[in-house]
Amino acid sequence: MCRWLAYSGTSVVLSDLLYKPEHSLIDQSLHSRMGVETTNGDGFGIGWYGPERDTPAIIRDTGPAWNNRNLRELASHIRSPLFFAHVRASTGTAIQQTNCHPFRHGRWMWMHNGAVADFHRLRRDLSLALDPALFSVLEGSTDSEVMFYLALTFGLDQDVPGAVARMAGLIERVGHDQGVEYPLQMTVAVSDGERLWSFRYSSLGKSRSLFCSSKAETVRALHPDWDFLRGVSDSTRLVVSEPLGGLPGVWKEVPESSYGVIQPGTDEFLPFVPEPV
């Protein structure tokens, strides 16, 4: 499948998180410890929100992240308070730039690890459920992009958890109608540039790994030598497919069948249940 990282908090230089941790996302692109595949070299992407911009910037490429000099160069000069990074292992769709994550529409950004089972069988019915205006801007051939545009179709602008629940409910209904027992496997990150939502769900109830960092003040107390945390706010958080290192007390697993939102105030993970459509 894939590995991804989402960051929200004090503005940081992207390379500090993409390259410096012991088990960084770049290391995971070659040596994933918790993914289905050890190697995630079928493309990569980064997306970030900059000052005085209504939409995120996106850079995607079809080659592996671990040896891309342009990625290293750009990441060392880009600073952002909210960014996504993704390394891809294709589940069968083509290795092309339009199939790399993250995906963008307006101010929204989306990335996914997992799969719609037997997508080649379900793709037509799922695509027909898209808002016609969104169907016309669909660029790639992945299940992940269709999931994103389904969520937009079902009201992502007004109700993020509800839209994602309706997207998941449609996929499960169409899948079951086609005889697919467990249609959906997903960890998803989605943002509007102000808040960050993360979802962990699968029809089988055995979802891909997902972790959230502990409160910055807690981690600072446990690891006062971790330089990166000295200047960040207590609301700073990372959501990752697998931990970026082995420091105790830093990472907590996102509960099965749940979603959370990172925003000022108390972190909270709530139950996630697909909504029939």
Side-chain angles (χ1 to χ4, degrees):
M1 301 271 172
C2 307
R3 303 281 83 183
W4 58 256
L5 172 157
Y7 173 87
S8 175
T10 300
S11 184
V12 295
V13 176
L14 272 59
S15 59
D16 286 349
L17 290 177
L18 289 182
Y19 289 92
K20 290 185 178 180
E22 171 193 354
H23 188 47
S24 68
L25 190 69
I26 303 303
D27 181 64
Q28 291 175 34
S29 68
L30 263 174
H31 306 295
S32 172
R33 299 168 184 169
M34 305 179 75
V36 175
E37 296 87 8
T38 301
T39 303
N40 298 273
D42 295 331
F44 68 86
I46 56 173
W48 70 96
Y49 292 89
E52 301 177 1
R53 293 291 185 272
D54 294 330
T55 60
I58 299 284
I59 293 174
R60 301 183 291 182
D61 198 88
T62 57
W66 64 76
N67 67 353
N68 192 290
R69 296 178 65 184
N70 287 332
L71 174 61
R72 183 180 287 273
E73 176 71 15
L74 287 167
S76 67
H77 290 273
I78 295 170
R79 179 180 289 273
S80 176
L82 201 164
F83 74 90
F84 285 5
H86 187 282
V87 290
R88 183 174 184 240
S90 173
T91 56
T93 50
I95 299 172
Q96 60 191 45
Q97 202 172 82
T98 54
N99 283 347
C100 294
H101 309 224
F103 301 100
R104 172 184 62 191
H105 184 77
R107 73 179 189 275
W108 292 98
M109 191 158 59
W110 172 284
M111 61 184 174
H112 165 235
N113 173 37
V116 174
D118 290 333
F119 180 59
H120 64 286
R121 293 168 53 193
L122 311 186
R123 182 179 175 183
R124 179 179 181 276
D125 287 344
L126 295 177
S127 297
L128 288 173
L130 295 173
D131 182 316
L134 294 172
F135 182 84
S136 67
V137 295
L138 197 69
E139 290 188 314
S141 57
T142 63
D143 50 0
S144 303
E145 189 179 19
V146 170
M147 290 167 64
F148 178 31
Y149 283 106
L150 282 172
L152 287 164
T153 297
F154 291 136
L156 196 67
D157 271 321
Q158 292 78 40
D159 174 14
V160 172
V164 177
R166 289 185 284 275
M167 174 273 293
L170 175 69
I171 291 171
E172 291 200 323
R173 178 177 65 78
V174 170
H176 292 153
D177 289 346
Q178 295 284 345
V180 179
E181 186 175 8
Y182 302 115
L184 183 58
Q185 172 72 246
M186 71 174 200
T187 64
V188 163
V190 59
S191 179
D192 60 358
E194 297 180 3
R195 291 168 291 176
L196 164 64
W197 291 262
S198 60
F199 297 82
R200 186 182 184 215
Y201 176 78
S202 66
S203 306
L204 182 59
K206 295 181 180 179
S207 302
R208 301 291 179 247
S209 57
L210 193 65
F211 295 83
C212 183
S213 63
S214 299
K215 291 183 178 180
E217 60 188 87
T218 301
V219 182
R220 270 196 296 265
L222 290 168
H223 304 283
D225 57 336
W226 201 0
D227 292 341
F228 158 69
L229 287 175
R230 289 178 183 171
V232 304
S233 67
D234 289 341
S235 60
T236 295
R237 295 290 184 278
L238 279 160
V239 185
V240 295
S241 294
E242 57 187 79
L244 304 185
L247 292 176
V250 174
W251 305 102
K252 51 188 178 182
E253 187 173 16
V254 174
E256 179 69 51
S257 301
S258 71
Y259 76 92
V261 56
I262 294 174
Q263 59 187 355
T266 304
D267 293 341
E268 188 175 23
F269 285 95
L270 300 171
F272 177 79
V273 180
E275 183 177 324
V277 176

